[in-house]
Amino acid sequence: MILHCVFLRLKAALPAADKQSIYEDLAKLQAVIPGIVSIRTGPNVSPEGLSGGFRDGFVVSFENAAARDAYLDHPEHKAVGERIVAACDGGLSGLLVFDLEV
């Protein structure tokens, strides 16, 4: 299994409704892209204060690396990804992606 962890520094001016819409569109990907086991979204709740400004994020669990790779190339993922990049402070620099094999 692959855990695809994405941490976000969303723009401070991003309306809560826009953030919710992005998360809803992410959740919809599970129905259209094979191999997605689950998608979880939400704010950082760590009390450690070590988030580096990444206040929000999501984790996509994939059956395997091939499923993750298919997701990365899928046009619906790319469309949601463009919305996410546009919503992040600094564009791509407002994202951190980390994949774990578990």
Side-chain angles (χ1 to χ4, degrees), residues 5-93:
C5 308
V6 182
F7 307 108
L8 308 169
R9 278 193 308 245
L10 295 171
K11 293 176 181 175
L14 184 72
D18 289 354
K19 179 170 43 171
Q20 184 61 35
S21 174
I22 289 170
Y23 286 159
E24 289 170 1
D25 286 349
L26 276 167
K28 291 175 188 175
L29 294 178
Q30 187 170 358
V32 297
I33 302 175
I36 295 176
V37 175
S38 67
I39 299 176
R40 301 284 185 260
T41 62
N44 177 17
V45 295
S46 173
E48 294 179 289
L50 300 173
S51 67
F54 292 94
R55 295 177 302 276
D56 295 278
F58 59 94
V59 177
V60 183
S61 300
F62 294 98
E63 292 175 355
N64 52 42
R68 186 257 337 261
D69 295 347
Y71 159 89
L72 294 175
D73 286 332
H74 197 282
E76 291 194 40
H77 162 258
K78 289 182 178 186
V80 175
E82 288 177 12
R83 286 187 62 206
I84 292 169
V85 170
C88 284
D89 190 24
L92 280 176
S93 67

